Amino acid sequence: MVGWLDVISHPLWMVTTLILWRVVRSQRRGSWDPCACPVQLKGKTAIVTGANTGIGKFIAMDFARRGARVILACRSVSRGTAAAKEIQAKTGNHDVHVRQVDLSSMDSVREFVEKIVREERGLHILINNAGVSGLPQQLTKDGFDVCFATNHLGPFLLTNQLLDLMKASAPARIVTLSSVYHKKGEVNFSHFHGKNITHNLDRVYNHTKLHNIICTNEFARRLQGTGVTANSVHPGVVMTGMMRHYSFKMRCIFSLIGQFFFKSAEEGAVSAIYCAVSEEAEGISGKYFDHDCSLALPAPLARDKALALKDFEICERLTSKL
């Protein structure tokens, strides 16, 4: 009788597995190639949140290669500085800078914006990339659920307060990284304060990603005619540090499966780069892009204009300085 060890140690099994791995990996790449896009960003300024690692770092790397002035908005200055040095070394662009911001703190976001408005002459691209998942239930000093503050309320305030600078710099683009899992999300405004919420795996993350799309669409509506566009994007299921707050068992399973089916951080950056720089995406606003850079239809709640207005107004009120 042939045992499992005999099967998995057989050369044919290993060769077949390798072929499957290569085939699946080749299918993860979309048709749009950032390296083939000739758009240059010399004279342009871009901000990328969470740019010290993962998807954000590769987005910043692409912008630096195109000649942009790139600002890495990071919670950790030391990790941000290490990423900036790496980007400078690989691209030859030394106009890459680190600015500290903790998106879970509204005061930190305001301080960041004040510095940007004071120091920068323009802002042409804003990438809301930073996000967390799997955090234990806790409230920030502002009284917000930490995941909602980091993934939605902080980026909302950041975007809202940078609008005047972006309008003055138009044409400009806002790109917010959401997720296909927003379709599993719910809208309950008590979630913002950590109430009636279940912290189970990525359920809270799904809720925040739905709010991302809803408010991005409302930003787009309010920005009509200004030359500033706002879109949300699903980067794909990506192997990043997002799972660091999950259990060791979950991280192992995710990593094992991910070797075959999930995108690398570099591959996951492509759809956001497409929305931020491509000629094809110029003038498009209030849309949701899939991981292959194609337009997709988000969940029905994400397309509810009345809900978008209510969500926006609540977020604006919660993040306003009393």
Side-chain angles (χ1 to χ4, degrees), residues 242-278:
M242 184 72 75
M243 294 291 292
R244 63 186 177 277
H245 299 294
Y246 287 81
S247 68
F248 177 75
K249 182 179 179 180
M250 284 296 297
R251 295 199 306 273
C252 287
I253 294 172
F254 186 86
S255 180
L256 181 62
I257 297 173
Q259 295 298 322
F260 286 91
F261 300 104
F262 298 165
K263 290 186 174 187
S264 66
E266 184 173 9
E267 292 167 338
V270 171
S271 51
I273 296 170
Y274 173 86
C275 291
V277 307
S278 74

Short mmCIF file of all heavy atoms in Angstrom, two decimals, residues 242-278:
data_model
loop_
_atom_site.label_atom_id
_atom_site.label_comp_id
_atom_site.label_asym_id
_atom_site.label_seq_id
_atom_site.Cartn_x
_atom_site.Cartn_y
_atom_site.Cartn_z
N MET A 242 -0.05 42.40 6.87
CA MET A 242 -1.38 42.63 7.40
C MET A 242 -1.82 41.55 8.39
O MET A 242 -2.62 41.79 9.29
CB MET A 242 -2.39 42.70 6.24
CG MET A 242 -3.81 43.04 6.64
SD MET A 242 -4.03 44.76 7.13
CE MET A 242 -3.98 45.55 5.52
N MET A 243 -1.25 40.34 8.23
CA MET A 243 -1.67 39.22 9.08
C MET A 243 -0.90 39.15 10.40
O MET A 243 -1.10 38.22 11.18
CB MET A 243 -1.45 37.90 8.31
CG MET A 243 -2.31 37.71 7.10
SD MET A 243 -4.05 37.46 7.50
CE MET A 243 -3.99 35.85 8.29
N ARG A 244 -0.04 40.13 10.67
CA ARG A 244 0.84 40.01 11.83
C ARG A 244 0.10 39.98 13.16
O ARG A 244 0.66 39.51 14.17
CB ARG A 244 1.85 41.15 11.84
CG ARG A 244 1.27 42.55 11.98
CD ARG A 244 2.34 43.61 11.84
NE ARG A 244 1.83 44.96 11.91
CZ ARG A 244 1.30 45.61 10.88
NH1 ARG A 244 1.22 45.03 9.72
NH2 ARG A 244 0.86 46.85 11.03
N HIS A 245 -1.15 40.43 13.21
CA HIS A 245 -1.90 40.43 14.45
C HIS A 245 -2.73 39.16 14.64
O HIS A 245 -3.43 39.03 15.65
CB HIS A 245 -2.82 41.66 14.50
CG HIS A 245 -2.09 42.97 14.44
ND1 HIS A 245 -1.24 43.40 15.44
CD2 HIS A 245 -2.05 43.92 13.48
CE1 HIS A 245 -0.73 44.57 15.11
NE2 HIS A 245 -1.21 44.92 13.93
N TYR A 246 -2.67 38.25 13.67
CA TYR A 246 -3.42 37.00 13.77
C TYR A 246 -2.59 35.94 14.50
O TYR A 246 -1.38 36.11 14.71
CB TYR A 246 -3.81 36.51 12.38
CG TYR A 246 -4.90 37.33 11.74
CD1 TYR A 246 -4.63 38.55 11.12
CD2 TYR A 246 -6.22 36.90 11.75
CE1 TYR A 246 -5.62 39.32 10.53
CE2 TYR A 246 -7.24 37.65 11.16
CZ TYR A 246 -6.93 38.85 10.56
OH TYR A 246 -7.92 39.60 9.99
N SER A 247 -3.22 34.85 14.83
CA SER A 247 -2.53 33.77 15.54
C SER A 247 -1.46 33.14 14.66
O SER A 247 -1.51 33.24 13.42
CB SER A 247 -3.54 32.70 15.96
OG SER A 247 -4.06 32.03 14.82
N PHE A 248 -0.52 32.46 15.31
CA PHE A 248 0.56 31.80 14.58
C PHE A 248 0.00 30.78 13.59
O PHE A 248 0.48 30.67 12.45
CB PHE A 248 1.51 31.11 15.58
CG PHE A 248 2.62 30.33 14.91
CD1 PHE A 248 3.70 30.98 14.34
CD2 PHE A 248 2.56 28.94 14.86
CE1 PHE A 248 4.72 30.26 13.72
CE2 PHE A 248 3.57 28.23 14.26
CZ PHE A 248 4.66 28.88 13.69
N LYS A 249 -1.02 30.05 14.01
CA LYS A 249 -1.64 29.03 13.15
C LYS A 249 -2.24 29.67 11.90
O LYS A 249 -2.05 29.18 10.78
CB LYS A 249 -2.72 28.27 13.92
CG LYS A 249 -3.39 27.17 13.13
CD LYS A 249 -4.44 26.45 13.97
CE LYS A 249 -5.14 25.36 13.17
NZ LYS A 249 -6.17 24.66 13.99
N MET A 250 -2.97 30.78 12.09
CA MET A 250 -3.59 31.46 10.95
C MET A 250 -2.53 32.00 10.01
O MET A 250 -2.67 31.93 8.78
CB MET A 250 -4.48 32.61 11.44
CG MET A 250 -5.81 32.16 12.01
SD MET A 250 -6.86 31.38 10.76
CE MET A 250 -7.09 32.73 9.62
N ARG A 251 -1.45 32.54 10.56
CA ARG A 251 -0.38 33.08 9.71
C ARG A 251 0.28 31.97 8.89
O ARG A 251 0.62 32.17 7.72
CB ARG A 251 0.67 33.81 10.55
CG ARG A 251 0.16 35.05 11.24
CD ARG A 251 1.29 35.97 11.67
NE ARG A 251 2.29 35.31 12.49
CZ ARG A 251 2.22 35.18 13.81
NH1 ARG A 251 1.18 35.68 14.46
NH2 ARG A 251 3.18 34.58 14.47
N CYS A 252 0.46 30.80 9.49
CA CYS A 252 1.07 29.67 8.77
C CYS A 252 0.19 29.20 7.62
O CYS A 252 0.67 28.95 6.51
CB CYS A 252 1.34 28.52 9.73
SG CYS A 252 2.70 28.81 10.87
N ILE A 253 -1.12 29.08 7.89
CA ILE A 253 -2.06 28.66 6.85
C ILE A 253 -2.09 29.68 5.71
O ILE A 253 -2.05 29.33 4.53
CB ILE A 253 -3.47 28.47 7.44
CG1 ILE A 253 -3.47 27.30 8.43
CG2 ILE A 253 -4.49 28.23 6.32
CD1 ILE A 253 -4.77 27.16 9.20
N PHE A 254 -2.17 30.95 6.08
CA PHE A 254 -2.19 32.03 5.09
C PHE A 254 -0.93 32.00 4.23
O PHE A 254 -1.00 32.14 3.00
CB PHE A 254 -2.30 33.37 5.84
CG PHE A 254 -2.46 34.57 4.95
CD1 PHE A 254 -3.72 34.97 4.52
CD2 PHE A 254 -1.36 35.32 4.54
CE1 PHE A 254 -3.88 36.08 3.71
CE2 PHE A 254 -1.52 36.43 3.74
CZ PHE A 254 -2.78 36.81 3.32
N SER A 255 0.21 31.81 4.87
CA SER A 255 1.49 31.80 4.15
C SER A 255 1.58 30.60 3.21
O SER A 255 2.05 30.73 2.07
CB SER A 255 2.64 31.77 5.15
OG SER A 255 3.88 31.75 4.49
N LEU A 256 1.14 29.43 3.68
CA LEU A 256 1.22 28.22 2.86
C LEU A 256 0.35 28.34 1.61
O LEU A 256 0.79 28.08 0.49
CB LEU A 256 0.79 27.01 3.69
CG LEU A 256 0.84 25.64 2.98
CD1 LEU A 256 2.26 25.31 2.58
CD2 LEU A 256 0.27 24.55 3.89
N ILE A 257 -0.89 28.74 1.80
CA ILE A 257 -1.81 28.91 0.67
C ILE A 257 -1.35 30.04 -0.24
O ILE A 257 -1.42 29.97 -1.46
CB ILE A 257 -3.24 29.17 1.17
CG1 ILE A 257 -3.76 27.98 1.97
CG2 ILE A 257 -4.19 29.47 0.00
CD1 ILE A 257 -5.10 28.21 2.63
N GLY A 258 -0.84 31.09 0.41
CA GLY A 258 -0.44 32.27 -0.34
C GLY A 258 0.68 32.04 -1.32
O GLY A 258 0.77 32.73 -2.35
N GLN A 259 1.55 31.08 -1.05
CA GLN A 259 2.64 30.78 -1.97
C GLN A 259 2.12 30.42 -3.36
O GLN A 259 2.78 30.66 -4.37
CB GLN A 259 3.50 29.65 -1.42
CG GLN A 259 4.23 29.98 -0.14
CD GLN A 259 5.21 31.13 -0.31
OE1 GLN A 259 5.87 31.26 -1.33
NE2 GLN A 259 5.27 31.99 0.70
N PHE A 260 0.92 29.85 -3.41
CA PHE A 260 0.35 29.43 -4.69
C PHE A 260 -0.61 30.47 -5.27
O PHE A 260 -0.60 30.73 -6.47
CB PHE A 260 -0.41 28.11 -4.51
CG PHE A 260 0.48 26.92 -4.35
CD1 PHE A 260 0.90 26.49 -3.10
CD2 PHE A 260 0.93 26.22 -5.47
CE1 PHE A 260 1.73 25.40 -2.95
CE2 PHE A 260 1.77 25.12 -5.33
CZ PHE A 260 2.17 24.72 -4.07
N PHE A 261 -1.46 31.03 -4.41
CA PHE A 261 -2.59 31.78 -4.94
C PHE A 261 -2.59 33.28 -4.67
O PHE A 261 -3.34 34.01 -5.31
CB PHE A 261 -3.89 31.18 -4.38
CG PHE A 261 -4.09 29.74 -4.73
CD1 PHE A 261 -3.88 28.75 -3.78
CD2 PHE A 261 -4.46 29.37 -6.01
CE1 PHE A 261 -4.06 27.41 -4.10
CE2 PHE A 261 -4.64 28.04 -6.34
CZ PHE A 261 -4.43 27.04 -5.39
N PHE A 262 -1.80 33.77 -3.72
CA PHE A 262 -1.85 35.18 -3.37
C PHE A 262 -0.78 35.97 -4.09
O PHE A 262 0.25 35.44 -4.49
CB PHE A 262 -1.69 35.37 -1.86
CG PHE A 262 -2.77 34.71 -1.05
CD1 PHE A 262 -2.60 34.52 0.31
CD2 PHE A 262 -3.95 34.27 -1.62
CE1 PHE A 262 -3.58 33.90 1.08
CE2 PHE A 262 -4.93 33.66 -0.87
CZ PHE A 262 -4.74 33.47 0.48
N LYS A 263 -1.03 37.26 -4.24
CA LYS A 263 -0.07 38.14 -4.89
C LYS A 263 1.05 38.54 -3.93
O LYS A 263 0.87 38.56 -2.71
CB LYS A 263 -0.77 39.42 -5.37
CG LYS A 263 -1.73 39.24 -6.53
CD LYS A 263 -2.22 40.60 -6.98
CE LYS A 263 -3.07 40.47 -8.23
NZ LYS A 263 -3.43 41.79 -8.79
N SER A 264 2.17 38.88 -4.50
CA SER A 264 3.24 39.49 -3.72
C SER A 264 2.86 40.95 -3.51
O SER A 264 1.96 41.49 -4.18
CB SER A 264 4.57 39.40 -4.47
OG SER A 264 4.51 40.19 -5.65
N ALA A 265 3.55 41.62 -2.59
CA ALA A 265 3.27 43.04 -2.35
C ALA A 265 3.51 43.87 -3.61
O ALA A 265 2.77 44.81 -3.89
CB ALA A 265 4.14 43.55 -1.20
N GLU A 266 4.52 43.51 -4.37
CA GLU A 266 4.82 44.24 -5.61
C GLU A 266 3.69 44.08 -6.61
O GLU A 266 3.28 45.04 -7.27
CB GLU A 266 6.14 43.74 -6.21
CG GLU A 266 6.57 44.52 -7.43
CD GLU A 266 7.96 44.13 -7.92
OE1 GLU A 266 8.51 43.13 -7.41
OE2 GLU A 266 8.49 44.82 -8.81
N GLU A 267 3.15 42.87 -6.74
CA GLU A 267 2.02 42.64 -7.64
C GLU A 267 0.77 43.35 -7.13
O GLU A 267 -0.03 43.87 -7.91
CB GLU A 267 1.76 41.14 -7.75
CG GLU A 267 2.86 40.37 -8.47
CD GLU A 267 2.76 38.87 -8.30
OE1 GLU A 267 2.13 38.40 -7.32
OE2 GLU A 267 3.34 38.15 -9.14
N GLY A 268 0.61 43.38 -5.81
CA GLY A 268 -0.56 44.03 -5.23
C GLY A 268 -0.56 45.53 -5.39
O GLY A 268 -1.61 46.17 -5.28
N ALA A 269 0.60 46.12 -5.66
CA ALA A 269 0.69 47.57 -5.82
C ALA A 269 0.21 48.04 -7.19
O ALA A 269 -0.08 49.23 -7.38
CB ALA A 269 2.14 48.02 -5.61
N VAL A 270 0.11 47.13 -8.15
CA VAL A 270 -0.13 47.50 -9.55
C VAL A 270 -1.44 48.25 -9.75
O VAL A 270 -1.48 49.29 -10.43
CB VAL A 270 -0.07 46.26 -10.46
CG1 VAL A 270 -0.53 46.61 -11.87
CG2 VAL A 270 1.33 45.69 -10.49
N SER A 271 -2.53 47.75 -9.18
CA SER A 271 -3.83 48.38 -9.44
C SER A 271 -3.89 49.80 -8.87
O SER A 271 -4.50 50.70 -9.48
CB SER A 271 -4.96 47.52 -8.85
OG SER A 271 -4.70 47.20 -7.49
N ALA A 272 -3.26 50.04 -7.72
CA ALA A 272 -3.23 51.39 -7.16
C ALA A 272 -2.38 52.32 -8.02
O ALA A 272 -2.73 53.49 -8.23
CB ALA A 272 -2.70 51.35 -5.73
N ILE A 273 -1.25 51.81 -8.50
CA ILE A 273 -0.39 52.61 -9.39
C ILE A 273 -1.15 52.97 -10.67
O ILE A 273 -1.07 54.10 -11.16
CB ILE A 273 0.90 51.85 -9.72
CG1 ILE A 273 1.73 51.62 -8.45
CG2 ILE A 273 1.73 52.60 -10.77
CD1 ILE A 273 2.90 50.67 -8.64
N TYR A 274 -1.89 52.00 -11.19
CA TYR A 274 -2.70 52.24 -12.39
C TYR A 274 -3.66 53.41 -12.18
O TYR A 274 -3.74 54.33 -13.01
CB TYR A 274 -3.48 50.97 -12.73
CG TYR A 274 -4.46 51.13 -13.86
CD1 TYR A 274 -4.06 50.98 -15.19
CD2 TYR A 274 -5.81 51.42 -13.62
CE1 TYR A 274 -4.96 51.13 -16.24
CE2 TYR A 274 -6.71 51.57 -14.65
CZ TYR A 274 -6.29 51.42 -15.96
OH TYR A 274 -7.20 51.57 -16.99
N CYS A 275 -4.37 53.39 -11.06
CA CYS A 275 -5.33 54.46 -10.78
C CYS A 275 -4.65 55.81 -10.57
O CYS A 275 -5.22 56.85 -10.88
CB CYS A 275 -6.15 54.11 -9.54
SG CYS A 275 -7.29 52.73 -9.76
N ALA A 276 -3.42 55.78 -10.07
CA ALA A 276 -2.72 57.02 -9.72
C ALA A 276 -2.00 57.68 -10.88
O ALA A 276 -1.88 58.91 -10.91
CB ALA A 276 -1.72 56.74 -8.60
N VAL A 277 -1.52 56.89 -11.86
CA VAL A 277 -0.66 57.49 -12.89
C VAL A 277 -1.08 57.21 -14.33
O VAL A 277 -0.69 57.95 -15.24
CB VAL A 277 0.80 57.03 -12.72
CG1 VAL A 277 1.30 57.29 -11.31
CG2 VAL A 277 0.99 55.56 -13.08
N SER A 278 -1.85 56.16 -14.57
CA SER A 278 -2.09 55.76 -15.96
C SER A 278 -2.93 56.78 -16.72
O SER A 278 -3.80 57.45 -16.17
CB SER A 278 -2.78 54.39 -16.02
OG SER A 278 -4.13 54.50 -15.63
#
